[in-house]
Structures are given as structure tokens and as C-alpha cells.
Amino acid sequence: MGHRDDLLAGAKRCLVEKGYARTTARDIVAASGTNLASIGYHYGSKEALLNKALIEAVVESGDELGRAVAAEADADPGADPVSRFQAVWTRIIEEFSDRHELWAASLEIFGQVDRVPEVRRAYADAIQEGREGMAAMFRRMSPETGAEPSQAVGSFLQALATGVMVQWLVDPERAPTGPELAEAFRTLLAWQQGGAAAEAAGSPPE
């Protein structure tokens, strides 16, 4: 690789090892085997290099997560939807745990997106891809519904994924597990079914 690629690889390594805010230009130089001048020559600034490295790393990890989730959703076609839901979310949480440092680094830059338009655009595109991926996951988990999942369904599941990731980053001891999320799913289904039954009987749900 040339210095440009070496710098990008070194910056990705630093993001995992040190995080976004604590990575210095000298850290990147040490990790990439280059020199300080090459950062300015190829990327203009340390921040521009880190932003590009973070965007690429998040996209790469997101793609890997998508493949892992798709494989999990297809692993047992005969399972009921709640069991598939549990298996898929258990796998998602495992991926979050395995890439803890990278996802933590990605959250560091959220407060700066208004000042860094290219990062904002990249994250917006990644979130939209996440919505579409989550909608596809729902279709894989519940093909018997026959309905095409909407943007709203994808947005809901993407919001759940983001919230679960934050909980695991902040408090892994008390963050929800796949079985706990599945239990919540069962509870919501029971509540919805109870409400539908009550409505059919002419009485309001409790």
C-alpha cells in the first residue's frame, strides 16, 4: 500500500484502540509507519483522515452485521417469528459486543455532525441503509405475513438497534439480551391481541 492507504488503515486501528477524540496525528503516524507531513498531503488534516476512516469502518462493519443477521434470520425457517426474533437480536448484540470499541468511536462524532457535512451525509445514508436492512430482516423473520415491510417498520427496528447498542456501550451488565427483547416482543403481541379481542367484543382494552 502507499502512504494514503497506510494512513487510512492506521487511522482505523487507532479508532478501535483509542477512540476518536483521543487519537492524535502522532498516533496515526506510529500506527501507519508514515510521517506527519503525509497526513496533510493526502487528507488535508487529521480530522479529515479520521472522519474518512470512521465512515469506512462503520460502513464495513454495518455490511458485516447485515450479512450475519441475514444468515441468522434464514438459519431456521421453521421457527416461529418470536424465536427468530430472539435469534436475530442475540446475533446483533454479539456483533455489538465484538466491535464495542468501533461503535463507541462512532458515537463520539454524533455531536459534531452539524459541523462536518460529509460525515452527516455518510451517517444519514448509513442510517437509511440500516432502515432498509432492518425491513428486509423483518421480512425474513416473518415471511408468512405476506406484507411488504414499510419504511416505518425499518425505522422502528433501526431505532431499536441504535438504542440497544447505546445501552450495551453504556451499561452492558444491565443491557437487554436477545431473550429479554423476545420476551418484550411477546408481551407487546399479547397486549395487541388482547386489545383486538376487546375491540371485537365491544369493550375498550384495559
Side-chain angles (χ1 to χ4, degrees), residues 17 20 56 65 87 113 129 134 148:
E17 294 174 355
Y20 187 93
E56 285 198 7
L65 174 61
V113 293
E129 289 180 9
M134 288 294 178
E148 188 70 15

Side-chain angles (χ1 to χ4, degrees), residues 87-101:
V88 164
W89 284 96
T90 296
R91 185 58 183 270
I92 289 174
I93 290 168
E94 288 174 355
E95 291 289 323
F96 286 160
S97 179
D98 290 344
R99 301 175 185 275
H100 176 278
E101 294 83 0

Side-chain angles (χ1 to χ4, degrees), residues 68-143:
V69 166
E72 193 65 55
D74 292 337
D76 187 3
D80 66 273
V82 176
S83 295
R84 274 178 276 175
F85 182 94
Q86 176 174 322
V88 164
W89 284 96
T90 296
R91 185 58 183 270
I92 289 174
I93 290 168
E94 288 174 355
E95 291 289 323
F96 286 160
S97 179
D98 290 344
R99 301 175 185 275
H100 176 278
E101 294 83 0
L102 176 60
W103 294 116
S106 74
L107 291 180
E108 286 186 59
I109 202 171
F110 275 178
Q112 304 179 43
V113 293
D114 286 340
R115 301 193 297 275
V116 191
E118 65 272 20
V119 173
R120 186 187 188 99
R121 287 192 298 271
Y123 269 53
D125 289 343
I127 290 170
Q128 178 58 26
E129 289 180 9
R131 294 186 186 108
E132 294 169 0
M134 288 294 178
M137 178 189 75
F138 182 84
R139 183 167 58 248
R140 287 173 182 272
M141 289 192 300
S142 304

